[in-house]
Amino acid sequence: MANTQHSVAPVDEMMPAAKLFVFGLQHVLAMYAGAVAVPLIIAGAAGLTKAQTAFLINADLFTCGIATLLQTLGIWKIGIKIPVIQGVTFAAVTPMIIMAKTGGMETIYGSIIIAGICTFLLAPFFSKLIRFFPPIVTGSVITVIGISLLPVGIAWAAGGTGDPHYGSMTYIGVAAIVLVAILLINKFFRGFVAHISVLLGLIIGLIIAMPVGLVNFSGVSSAAWLGIDYPFAFGMPKFDLGSIIAMIIVMLVVMVESTGDFLAIGVMVDKPIGEKELTAGLRADGLATALGGILNAFPYTAFAQNVGLVGLTGVKSRFVVATSGAILVVMGFFPKLATIIASLPNAVLGGAGIAMFGIVAANGIKTLSKVDYEKKPNNIFIVAISIGLGVIPVVDANFFKLFPDWSQTILHSGITLGSVAAVILNALFNGSKGGEEAQKELADNAGMNA
């Protein structure tokens, strides 16, 4: 007799609270360094005081949490409901630095609010481009995402860019211990222990790093116990046309990058992403960005750093990342707790980063392995050129330095370059696939990757 019992899809699986917390904390630790980097950069450019900088970091963590809850749990037709954590997009850093120096924080937030609203309104139209993302495109984009992130993990492993002892044997040794620990845990354990291999690796790395002097808790004692975010703390927003246009361009780039991340996670959790789902995800990006402008934060997007963690652990439940969102909200209220988490050394994060970001690239290669290269020999050119163009900013950050200023945001994003190249080349060689056909191919591919 056939089993007719309804089974819950892995992406909608609910777990015991303890497991949700541990898995969720693992995601927070993986993305924390990237989450606080942008507030630190912008605070420096705007000349903020130490107290203002701390407030900015906590406002960002709080809004990260709200954005993540919005994306994973969803309300109305907003939120893609997959395990995607939201973080500040680095694509906005350069324009925001310029705005901070010329117009102040109020100008930044005015442009963010308008760009977020525009993203929300454009989401249904942009999502129609899903038909241009068959597996050969998504596989190429996922691969570029992984390759683009690997330098971040490698730099962490060496101590972090700008560290005076960058590349020291101590840093690299600690990173190597974390990486080996993650591999050994996955080799000899199964189930829950294997699923938290990254968290355990980070704990092992922290224990190793403390006696060699890599852990600095100096800021913990001076951090406040409680901090409350409130709207427009830096003043009422200013709406400068040039700044608004620059931020809208940034958000167009973000929409391309988010699409790639959504499709990557969709494949990993066996949930095909169609026009409806993409619209909901991009709307959440737009709403979170507009909220960021109100709550003293920044533009938000799917955080690619955590895509690899989903693939590495095999934990597909969106409620795990929703728990991460709740943790981030709490951290936004408690600066002292956030400071403790921030004490994780870069070298410890680097060991985990190499594993996680490499997994992203490997999943892209896995997707590309299902592409037909025999009947469609030109597919090899689509893959080769899109990945080749996508890694240009990774290989040489100065490659496009003589191009116009307005193009820098786009040209410095390898994910955007790779995505645009893959879409155009696929349309050139294979034609624009209909939405249903492309989605069937995506669904079949996800099934093969299960």
Side-chain angles (χ1 to χ4, degrees), residues 99-119:
M99 294 177 208
K101 293 180 177 179
T102 58
M105 300 299 290
E106 302 93 331
T107 300
I108 291 177
Y109 292 134
S111 66
I112 289 175
I113 291 170
I114 300 300
I117 294 171
C118 288
T119 301

Side-chain angles (χ1 to χ4, degrees), residues 132-144 368 371-373 375-391 414 417-433 441:
F132 294 105
F133 286 83
I136 189 167
V137 173
T138 58
S140 299
V141 172
I142 295 168
T143 303
V144 170
L368 290 173
V371 173
D372 186 353
Y373 300 99
K375 294 180 181 178
K376 298 180 179 179
N378 286 328
N379 279 347
I380 197 72
F381 291 108
I382 299 173
V383 175
I385 303 305
S386 58
I387 292 178
L389 292 176
V391 300
L417 282 178
S419 300
V420 172
V423 168
I424 293 175
L425 290 171
N426 179 64
L428 174 66
F429 287 113
N430 296 328
S432 60
K433 303 176 74 67
E441 199 172 345

Side-chain angles (χ1 to χ4, degrees), residues 263-310:
L263 293 172
I265 297 175
V267 169
M268 291 178 183
V269 302
D270 312 321
K271 179 178 179 177
I273 304 300
E275 185 177 325
K276 177 183 175 183
E277 290 80 13
L278 182 57
T279 297
L282 295 177
R283 277 178 176 152
D285 274 1
L287 180 55
T289 296
L291 284 174
I294 295 170
L295 296 175
N296 319 291
F298 305 99
Y300 288 95
T301 182
F303 228 41
Q305 284 90 325
N306 290 70
V307 176
L309 187 55
V310 174

Side-chain angles (χ1 to χ4, degrees), residues 34-84:
V36 301
V38 174
L40 288 172
I41 294 169
I42 301 306
L48 301 184
T49 65
K50 185 176 181 180
Q52 288 175 319
T53 302
F55 178 87
L56 194 65
I57 291 172
N58 280 92
D60 174 44
L61 292 174
F62 176 79
T63 316
C64 269
I66 297 296
T68 299
L69 289 168
L70 185 65
Q71 197 70 272
T72 52
L73 300 180
I75 56 170
W76 185 57
K77 297 179 180 180
I78 304 169
I80 197 167
K81 297 181 181 178
I82 59 175
V84 54

Side-chain angles (χ1 to χ4, degrees), residues 24 36 70 80 101 122 192 201 212 232 244 295 353 379 412 415:
V36 301
L70 185 65
I80 197 167
K101 293 180 177 179
L122 287 173
F192 179 71
V212 296
F232 308 125
I244 291 170
L295 296 175
N379 279 347
H412 277 82
I415 298 172

Side-chain angles (χ1 to χ4, degrees), residues 135 267 270-273 436-449:
V267 169
D270 312 321
K271 179 178 179 177
I273 304 300
E436 292 183 3
E437 183 183 353
Q439 283 314 296
K440 181 180 184 299
E441 199 172 345
L442 279 169
D444 291 344
N445 189 70
M448 287 185 284
N449 281 329

